[in-house]
Amino acid sequence: MRQYSTNVGQELQKALYPVVTTKRTSLGEICGEAALYVNPDDICEIKTAIKRVETDVNLKEYLRANGYEQSKKYSWSNAAKSFLSYIEYQS
């Protein structure tokens, strides 16, 4: 089974692709409610989820729109702001 890193999930969401993933990795946190989650050990569940995204226009649009918004939370700019906030708080 092919495995993707967190960055790929974020990049897919930024590019408006719907994401099917698992909560066993950090993608559960990164993708939030903007992904369709499956058991990575259940091939039938993965197949069903992919077919669902392909055929359910409302689901596809929901994942695309919310995925894009979710991806904005994890920009380098936001990471820098959070880090600076933390540094200032510690001072």
Side-chain angles (χ1 to χ4, degrees):
M1 175 183 234
R2 189 175 212 169
Q3 295 182 359
Y4 292 109
S5 70
T6 303
N7 290 342
V8 171
Q10 285 176 272
E11 293 306 315
L12 288 170
Q13 286 183 318
K14 282 181 188 174
L16 297 174
Y17 285 97
V19 174
V20 175
T21 189
T22 176
K23 288 189 175 183
R24 288 192 189 169
T25 66
S26 61
L27 283 173
E29 179 182 347
I30 299 297
C31 293
E33 296 303 314
L36 191 58
Y37 293 97
V38 295
N39 175 351
D41 300 322
D42 187 338
I43 299 301
C44 289
E45 186 177 340
I46 296 167
K47 179 181 171 183
T48 300
I50 292 170
K51 282 189 175 196
R52 201 172 146 211
V53 170
E54 288 177 343
T55 58
D56 186 337
V57 175
N58 291 330
L59 175 62
K60 182 186 282 188
E61 288 306 313
Y62 172 85
L63 294 175
R64 289 176 72 192
N66 290 305
Y68 181 74
E69 291 304 313
Q70 183 72 14
S71 73
K72 291 179 185 177
K73 294 178 183 179
Y74 295 95
S75 69
W76 281 109
S77 176
N78 283 344
K81 287 176 188 173
S82 292
F83 181 71
L84 289 174
S85 240
Y86 175 77
I87 297 289
E88 288 172 0
Y89 176 78
Q90 296 299 316
S91 299

